[in-house]
Amino acid sequence: MTAFGESRMKILVTGAKGFAGRNLVAELRNRDCGEILEFDLNTDKSLLDRYTQECGFVFHLAGVNRPEDEKEFMDGNFGFTSELLNLLKKSNNKSPVLMTSSIQAKLDNPYGKSKKAGENILFEYGRAAGVDVYVYRLANMFGKWSRPNYNTVVATFCHNISRNLEIRVDNPDTELHLCYIDDVLEEFMRALEGNPTKEGNYCIVPISYRVKLGQIAAKIREFAESRKNLNISDMGDDFTRKLYSTYLSFLPKDDFAYPMRMNTDGRGSFTEFIKTTDRGQVSINVSRPGITKGNHWHHTKTEKFLVVSGQAVIRFRKIDEKETTEYHVSGDNLQAVDIPPGYTHSITNTGNTNLVTVIWANEIFNPEKPDTHFMEV
């Protein structure tokens, strides 16, 4: 079935306040998929009877994974699933049902057994009622709104490292199988449209990662340290990019901002902003009115200047020639100016206010080999 083509479809989400549920509800609303019927532990139980009569699709995400008593595994993961399906049968509701299980359903432990029991009863229901059912044995999920010391070790590491708390890594070579919440949501949207990704009887999230515990801890520590050394990790790596977003979601609300080291003098200031090992660095240059900076050249280093506030003239001269070239730039008409090697160059504030220039260099500044040679334009 194609959910998006229907008029205000009603979608039941159990476990709506959990990690996956909160993210799913937000995405369903983003896409205007229909009316969301949220059900969670604190929802009036009587509403479930009405919701199972009205819904056109069920995301069954509710479950128990860290109970105080092991018997709660079976009550929460099998018992509630059974109750939900009985209500759907009672109202003769043929809505498709998507259920989140776990890769631990393959294991012989109380949690795994309860998940397997929930899978079995859903498959049996689907066969008997002629209903489409989608069972996802999910790997450990990570992403925003996950809970430390509950959902995954990733959440715990992000929470603790962002607060300078200790983390425990018993075996750094332990390999984790992880999936990112946004990749899970993309797959859930395909299932909502009737096009889940399947392997045999089970549905899968096609994008997942196998990463060692020690590597995860090292990356998250790297993220935290980047606020001091300004070095940004390789965001071209999908897992690193998603892990970084997850880490930032755990920052304390009073710790979003951090100070930058401003190098100031009578001319203005120069502040390094971002550094990367493979794509150079970005800095912010502030010049007072009438001030000229630069008057130097580079052998190999190249730069891009972007004046974002104020007015300036950028002058160039090839070091073995007399002819100069000028570019008049302004924050009112943004244009990037490339600084080639072998040209001495300067930038002069020609306005009445501070000149603010964003500078990108193709390499990180190395004080032992600055490649900066004084020569007036």
Side-chain angles (χ1 to χ4, degrees):
M1 65 178 296
T2 303
F4 300 121
E6 298 199 6
S7 172
R8 303 312 300 168
M9 180 184 192
K10 293 186 178 182
I11 300 171
L12 171 58
V13 180
T14 71
K17 301 300 183 186
F19 167 38
R22 287 179 66 193
N23 279 275
L24 174 61
V25 168
E27 184 61 10
L28 290 171
R29 287 177 175 154
N30 281 344
R31 301 193 186 202
D32 195 23
C33 292
E35 181 181 347
I36 315 303
L37 308 176
E38 298 183 47
F39 189 87
D40 206 80
L41 282 174
N42 297 323
T43 307
D44 185 343
K45 199 67 176 288
S46 65
L47 287 175
L48 190 60
D49 185 64
R50 176 165 68 83
Y51 288 170
T52 51
Q53 294 177 46
E54 298 177 352
C55 65
F57 194 98
V58 180
F59 285 99
H60 179 35
L61 313 183
V64 174
N65 59 0
R66 290 182 183 270
E68 294 182 3
D69 190 327
E70 285 189 352
K71 72 176 185 179
E72 293 179 41
F73 279 131
M74 196 60 72
D75 291 341
N77 296 326
F78 170 77
F80 180 65
T81 301
S82 179
E83 180 181 355
L84 173 68
L85 298 179
N86 284 335
L87 287 173
L88 290 168
K89 283 190 285 187
K90 175 185 172 184
S91 61
N92 196 30
N93 188 332
K94 302 291 185 179
S95 296
V97 180
L98 180 155
M99 184 179 79
T100 52
S101 183
S102 166
I103 53 176
Q104 291 199 43
K106 301 176 182 178
L107 303 180
D108 186 24
N109 59 42
Y111 177 63
K113 288 179 179 179
S114 68
K115 282 296 190 182
K116 186 67 169 66
E119 293 177 359
N120 290 342
I121 193 173
L122 182 59
F123 282 132
E124 181 182 341
Y125 165 78
R127 287 191 296 269
V131 169
D132 290 331
V133 297
Y134 310 127
V135 176
Y136 285 85
R137 283 185 170 177
L138 295 177
N140 294 306
M141 290 189 292
F142 70 102
K144 66 181 182 301
W145 305 336
S146 50
R147 291 169 54 188
N149 304 306
Y150 186 82
N151 287 123
T152 66
V153 68
V154 172
T156 304
F157 282 4
C158 287
H159 176 273
N160 286 13
I161 291 174
S162 67
R163 290 161 175 77
N164 296 314
L165 301 175
E166 290 294 320
I167 64 170
R168 178 175 173 177
V169 182
D170 292 329
N171 182 0
D173 290 327
T174 299
E175 186 178 73
L176 300 183
H177 187 192
L178 299 169
C179 56
Y180 183 57
I181 186 62
D182 284 10
D183 295 324
V184 174
L185 297 182
E186 284 295 326
E187 174 58 28
F188 283 2
M189 293 303 103
R190 286 190 285 271
L192 181 61
E193 292 183 307
N195 298 303
T197 307
K198 300 198 74 172
E199 281 187 359
N201 292 327
Y202 292 91
C203 300
I204 64 166
V205 177
I207 300 174
S208 64
Y209 306 92
R210 295 186 182 275
V211 190
K212 291 183 178 180
L213 188 62
Q215 292 174 322
I216 294 171
K219 280 183 179 291
I220 297 173
R221 288 192 178 106
E222 186 179 284
F223 301 154
E225 191 63 25
S226 71
R227 291 177 139 210
K228 299 175 183 176
N229 61 27
L230 308 181
N231 290 320
I232 300 298
S233 303
D234 179 11
M235 296 299 160
D237 176 72
D238 277 351
F239 176 73
T240 299
R241 177 172 51 83
K242 295 167 182 176
L243 186 63
Y244 181 68
S245 294
T246 302
Y247 168 74
L248 285 190
S249 75
F250 279 90
L251 290 177
K253 293 179 181 178
D254 60 355
D255 197 31
F256 290 170
Y258 57 100
M260 307 296 290
R261 179 183 174 184
M262 296 178 64
N263 300 291
T264 60
D265 58 25
R267 301 174 304 162
S269 66
F270 182 84
T271 305
E272 294 179 318
F273 176 37
I274 291 174
K275 297 180 180 181
T276 65
T277 57
D278 63 333
R279 303 194 182 188
Q281 73 174 57
V282 176
S283 305
I284 309 299
N285 187 50
V286 178
S287 301
R288 299 184 187 280
I291 292 296
T292 296
K293 290 187 177 182
N295 280 321
H296 60 236
W297 63 279
H298 314 291
H299 276 297
T300 302
K301 181 190 297 183
T302 66
E303 297 167 309
K304 288 182 185 289
F305 285 6
L306 177 64
V307 168
V308 296
S309 180
Q311 296 178 332
V313 59
I314 301 173
R315 296 185 174 94
F316 296 89
R317 180 174 63 82
K318 192 173 287 188
I319 63 170
D320 57 355
E321 297 180 358
K322 294 183 178 181
E323 181 184 359
T324 63
T325 302
E326 293 186 356
Y327 286 87
H328 292 267
V329 292
S330 167
D332 296 327
N333 183 25
L334 297 186
Q335 57 180 323
V337 179
D338 279 317
I339 312 296
Y343 280 83
T344 185
H345 51 277
S346 66
I347 182 168
T348 300
N349 184 347
T350 58
N352 299 318
T353 60
N354 281 351
L355 174 72
V356 181
T357 307
V358 178
I359 300 175
W360 171 80
N362 67 334
E363 59 186 44
I364 294 176
F365 177 73
N366 180 355
E368 296 180 1
K369 190 178 178 182
D371 187 16
T372 300
H373 312 282
F374 175 77
M375 179 182 288
E376 287 191 8
V377 176

